[in-house]
Amino acid sequence: MELPFAESYKIKMVERIYRSTRKQREDWIKQASYNLFNLKSEQVYIDLLTDSGTGAMSQNQWAAIMTGDESYAGSSSYYHLKDAIRTILGFEYFLPTHQGRAAENVLFSVLVKADNVVPGNSHFDTTKGHIEYRKASAVDCTIDEAFDTDSLHPFKGNIDLEKLEAVYTAHPVGQIPMVIVTLTCNTSGGQPVSMQNLRDVYALSQKYGIKVVFDSARFAENAWFIQQREDEYRNKTIKEIVAEMFSYADAMTMSSKKDGIVNIGGFIAVKEEALYKQASVFNIMFEGFNTYGGMAGRDMNALAVGLDEVTTDDYLENRIQQVAYLGNLLIANNIPVQKPIGGHAVFVDAKKFLGHVPKEEYVAQTLAIELYLESGVRGVEVGTLLADRDPLTRENRYPKLEMLRLAIPRRTYTNNHMDVVAVALKNIFDRRELINHGYRIKKEAPIMRHFSVELEHADDTNQD
């Protein structure tokens, strides 16, 4: 008999989590204005809100923390991280930032101007926010298969080259500062981009003189899917694949809280010295001196180790297997999800799950709240709330996909926890016809509203 799969690590430290009652959860979510971001961590049993900064570090990362150099300028930890970025990712110049959205803020301060157009594959929420804040437009050029959750296309994160070239030809080159490729593509369900697509996007962009920037938060998971799904790369190591991936980029931003396996941090990496010098000006203004840039030396040390660990086959096998485990449980229970299962999360198709709830009542948010009430599991809406309002008309934007994202922290939960999530969703699915109404907005921010929005029941008899 063949031995079953098991994790390639053992647990050294544990943290207690609290199993609450439904009555408690009803009170807590009401006090939180039905916004899962407003819940206290101790009010959550299994936290799948995000995989950003919520993973468990290795003993080697913790050891590296203890040797962090906290010098204001010229820290040895900066040079450790610089060497890791050069060796693993192939970029000569880099700037540390405190997290991914800070990296976007610095780089976009150089590149993005009013009336610019920035194409890409389903831009992440902060990416789109930074673009639109600068009075520019984000244009989604993702392939159509990404929006069919039953399609088994292996690379739903791919950019449609015809859509991309249509953007390039419709605008003067000077109006398009870059194309952004998100690896993996979070908003479309944690879906990977193929190496062939990366190669083609780079060649097309070079033809038009446009920079290619990777949003690299989950680059290693993307490399795993390339290894598993593109025949040419079956016998390549993850590090070899990563090196080729980044050869097709001029610059990158990184939220190190994902595939850096650290609790805080980010960076910008570029190939051109001129762009590095321009970005340095804003990095000093917004983040800090260039050799720390919003990160402690100890965190830079931990990140340098994390970049090495994340680009190994055994780590990625464990990571992807657990996400697939939850996804396959849901599929077995007829729960509609984005297929094939992505790298960092399982995305539940809320439109198919709660198709009778009006779209104006935030269907995915409604499902997320029901999951919390049922089990204490916290997921997050990737749908109309996140899509925000059109910056010109101020009307809701209704995306093609309305999803509940269940983002799994790295090396944190066991498969027993995944079993709880699956049963909770099955219980809701069995009584879904009883959920007739969703929620409406009481108060919202003018941009990236999903983080702080306040909601109330849409069937509240006290509505105006």
Side-chain angles (χ1 to χ4, degrees):
M1 177 182 288
E2 185 178 350
L3 293 175
F5 174 81
E7 292 78 10
S8 59
Y9 59 86
K10 59 184 180 179
I11 297 168
K12 183 173 287 190
M13 182 182 293
V14 296
E15 177 184 350
R16 186 178 184 274
I17 54 178
Y18 177 67
R19 193 194 301 259
S20 56
T21 66
R22 184 179 179 99
K23 177 62 170 62
Q24 286 176 312
R25 296 192 293 272
E26 288 172 350
D27 291 341
W28 291 336
I29 195 65
K30 184 176 181 180
Q31 292 164 11
S33 297
Y34 300 99
N35 182 344
L36 294 151
F37 284 96
N38 288 338
L39 292 170
K40 297 177 181 178
S41 62
E42 59 264 30
Q43 296 169 341
V44 176
Y45 178 44
I46 300 171
D47 201 347
L48 307 185
L49 179 78
T50 182
D51 62 321
S52 180
T54 56
M57 289 194 293
S58 70
Q59 63 179 2
N60 291 335
Q61 287 181 288
W62 281 108
I65 281 177
M66 298 306 296
T67 58
D69 178 0
E70 305 305 339
S71 300
Y72 186 95
S75 162
S76 63
S77 298
Y78 165 84
Y79 291 102
H80 292 158
L81 182 53
K82 182 179 176 67
D83 287 344
I85 291 170
R86 182 195 298 115
T87 301
I88 298 169
L89 306 180
F91 289 90
E92 183 63 31
Y93 304 100
F94 101 100
L95 293 166
T97 63
H98 77 273
Q99 60 181 47
R101 69 192 65 188
E104 291 173 338
N105 186 41
V106 170
L107 185 62
F108 293 6
S109 292
V110 176
L111 296 178
V112 182
K113 306 292 187 282
D115 298 322
N116 279 180
V117 174
V118 184
N121 56 340
S122 296
H123 306 68
F124 185 55
D125 58 353
T126 61
T127 311
K128 182 181 284 187
H130 280 299
I131 291 168
E132 293 182 347
Y133 178 74
R134 290 168 171 80
K135 309 300 182 186
S137 300
V139 180
D140 191 349
C141 296
T142 314
I143 60 172
D144 291 338
E145 290 88 342
F147 307 106
D148 176 2
T149 55
D150 287 324
S151 168
L152 295 177
H153 191 291
F155 292 101
K156 284 185 173 180
N158 280 359
I159 286 180
D160 185 310
L161 296 174
E162 291 185 3
K163 292 181 185 178
L164 182 61
E165 189 160 23
V167 175
Y168 286 175
T169 57
H171 304 276
V173 169
Q175 197 177 355
I176 307 173
M178 59 184 160
V179 56
I180 294 178
V181 187
T182 307
L183 307 170
T184 57
C185 188
N186 183 20
T187 309
S188 67
Q191 298 296 306
V193 182
S194 71
M195 188 73 83
Q196 185 62 55
N197 192 246
L198 295 176
R199 190 180 298 128
D200 292 342
V201 167
Y202 188 62
L204 181 64
S205 301
Q206 281 195 313
K207 173 184 171 182
Y208 286 90
I210 294 169
K211 287 182 170 60
V212 177
V213 176
F214 287 177
D215 176 344
S216 311
R218 301 174 180 91
F219 75 93
E221 293 168 11
N222 200 93
W224 169 264
F225 286 117
I226 288 173
Q227 185 191 65
Q228 299 300 306
R229 297 178 183 176
E230 285 189 86
D231 291 340
E232 179 184 351
Y233 296 93
R234 290 279 183 182
N235 297 317
K236 298 280 189 180
T237 67
I238 294 297
K239 283 186 170 64
E240 289 171 334
I241 294 169
V242 165
E244 183 175 345
M245 283 168 53
F246 284 104
S247 73
Y248 305 127
D250 299 299
M252 63 172 285
T253 60
M254 177 74 182
S255 172
S256 304
K257 297 163 69 177
K258 285 86 168 175
D259 270 356
I261 334 180
V262 291
N263 303 127
I264 197 68
F267 61 86
I268 302 159
V270 301
K271 292 180 178 173
E272 297 177 3
E273 185 179 13
L275 180 56
Y276 164 77
K277 288 182 176 179
Q278 288 176 292
S280 294
V281 175
F282 292 98
N283 208 60
I284 290 171
M285 286 173 58
F286 298 149
E287 292 294 295
F289 187 65
N290 286 337
T291 59
Y292 76 90
M295 290 187 71
R298 54 184 174 270
D299 294 317
M300 287 191 281
N301 268 10
L303 175 54
V305 175
L307 289 174
D308 180 60
E309 291 183 352
V310 79
T311 49
T312 58
D313 290 73
D314 66 332
Y315 162 80
L316 285 166
E317 184 179 22
N318 283 290
R319 169 64 174 159
I320 304 300
Q321 285 266 18
Q322 185 172 57
V323 178
Y325 177 82
L326 174 58
N328 289 330
L329 286 177
L330 298 184
I331 291 170
N333 283 316
N334 299 313
I335 307 296
V337 299
Q338 173 68 291
K339 301 170 188 170
I341 304 303
H344 70 288
V346 179
F347 287 70
V348 180
D349 188 332
K351 286 183 182 178
K352 292 181 179 177
F353 197 116
L354 293 177
H356 55 288
V357 173
K359 67 177 183 179
E360 296 81 8
E361 297 178 6
Y362 307 106
V363 183
Q365 181 71 8
T366 300
L367 181 55
I369 292 167
E370 287 295 325
L371 177 60
Y372 176 72
L373 290 172
E374 177 72 22
S375 59
V377 174
R378 175 162 64 173
V380 71
E381 184 254 25
V382 178
T384 303
L385 279 179
L386 182 142
D388 227 316
R389 295 185 183 274
D390 184 283
L392 297 178
T393 68
R394 301 309 300 163
E395 295 295 322
N396 271 333
R397 290 186 284 206
Y398 295 100
K400 294 178 182 178
L401 294 176
E402 186 82 19
M403 313 285 264
L404 165 62
R405 187 186 74 173
L406 305 170
I408 301 175
R410 293 160 180 80
R411 304 186 291 206
T412 300
Y413 292 111
T414 70
N415 283 354
N416 287 336
H417 295 106
M418 300 302 104
D419 293 338
V420 172
V421 178
V423 171
L425 278 168
K426 178 63 165 60
N427 290 345
I428 300 167
F429 191 68
D430 289 345
R431 59 174 174 80
R432 63 192 183 281
E433 297 300 333
L434 301 176
I435 304 168
N436 296 313
H437 289 283
Y439 296 82
R440 63 169 181 263
I441 292 176
K442 289 197 302 182
K443 186 182 296 184
E444 63 183 298
I447 193 166
M448 289 193 281
R449 64 184 180 183
H450 56 292
F451 288 111
S452 58
V453 69
E454 295 181 14
L455 301 167
E456 62 186 358
H457 282 292
D459 62 345
D460 192 333
T461 56
N462 292 322
Q463 60 183 299
D464 294 333

